[in-house]
Amino acid sequence: GTAAWTMIVKGIGGRLFRERGVVDSSLLPKIPSVADPPLVRWVDGFNADFLQYDVYLDGSGSKHNLWRDAERGGYSAVTRTVGEDGVVRWVGIYGTVPAGLDQSSNCAELYAIYMALAKGVGPLRLHSDHKNHVDCFNAGKEACLAKRGRPFLDVWRWIWELVDSIGAELVSIIWVPGHAKESAGETPLQAARRVGNDVADHWAKEGRKLHDP
């Protein structure tokens, strides 16, 4: 049940580690540094100036069971537009979760909410597949911030500061299923939410990759 036993079972470190507990430095994982300052990019290089109306969010975190410090998080916030030429284009932002914050996917999902608000202009209807975050937000500011030991409480405080600035009546958030599959009985609304979530998922992963040198 220990990390050492897991390494032995997986063959990490080879005979030297198995018999002597010594690991050659060349066998250790290469851990990319957390991007500092955090990196922010516009989707496809298209500067949308601000986000509004229906915005789809996602967060992505890389998991390293033996080396948690190697986790890196990314996020995205995207919206669908139709140009004057009739071409559908997804615009928005993606980037890295800042140094000093937890790099897990849970924190990345929450940071996506924060960044959508930071780049947003009301009215905003945010779409997230992280049900716990959606439920917390919809419980209201007082309930959300009152719980001692709530994970990522600093990020929640930043979120509610922005909500107050934009106007609580202009911000809403709804839950959408993550990684949903197209189905025969799918409604146009369900299809729009599925596609939006897929696009956000793609760019959140691209955001996580920005940590890599």
Side-chain angles (χ1 to χ4, degrees):
T2 65
W5 177 249
T6 302
M7 290 173 65
I8 292 172
V9 170
K10 292 187 175 183
I12 300 173
R15 181 178 178 182
L16 188 63
F17 178 77
R18 186 173 65 253
E19 296 183 358
R20 298 175 179 267
V22 177
V23 180
D24 189 303
S25 61
S26 65
L27 299 175
L28 294 175
K30 302 298 184 287
I31 301 178
S33 59
V34 176
D36 190 19
L39 302 175
V40 182
R41 299 286 186 269
W42 291 102
V43 168
D44 283 335
F46 184 83
N47 189 331
D49 294 325
F50 59 86
L51 302 174
Q52 196 173 35
Y53 305 121
D54 288 290
V55 180
Y56 291 85
L57 317 172
D58 208 358
S60 177
S62 56
K63 286 192 174 182
H64 293 268
N65 293 330
L66 300 180
W67 294 276
R68 195 171 186 277
D69 287 344
E71 291 185 358
R72 297 292 177 262
Y75 69 90
S76 74
V78 300
T79 188
R80 181 181 182 271
T81 65
V82 180
E84 294 180 358
D85 54 2
V87 175
V88 174
R89 177 183 287 114
W90 285 92
V91 300
I93 56 172
Y94 66 104
T96 60
V97 174
L101 290 182
D102 192 281
Q103 296 292 314
S104 67
S105 59
N106 285 336
C107 188
E109 296 263 11
L110 189 63
Y111 194 73
I113 298 175
Y114 166 74
M115 287 301 296
L117 295 170
K119 297 291 185 181
V121 175
L124 283 166
R125 183 164 54 229
L126 308 180
H127 300 69
S128 170
D129 61 10
H130 196 292
K131 193 172 188 306
N132 287 345
H133 292 341
V134 172
D135 288 346
C136 182
F137 184 93
N138 288 329
K141 177 180 179 179
E142 188 173 328
C144 191
L145 300 182
K147 183 179 177 181
R148 286 188 177 184
R150 180 178 297 285
F152 325 126
L153 188 57
D154 284 345
V155 183
W156 276 114
R157 291 191 179 107
W158 303 343
I159 286 171
W160 286 106
E161 287 174 2
L162 289 173
V163 170
D164 290 341
S165 177
I166 295 170
E169 72 281 3
L170 297 177
V171 179
S172 62
I173 184 168
I174 61 175
W175 175 78
V176 295
H179 309 290
K181 303 298 183 183
E182 183 177 3
S183 61
E186 187 177 60
T187 67
L189 179 60
Q190 289 172 330
R193 290 176 174 175
R194 171 179 55 78
V195 172
N197 181 258
D198 286 346
V199 173
D201 176 73
H202 167 78
W203 287 106
K205 291 175 180 174
E206 292 300 306
R208 188 190 71 214
K209 293 176 185 177
L210 293 175
H211 285 289
D212 297 334

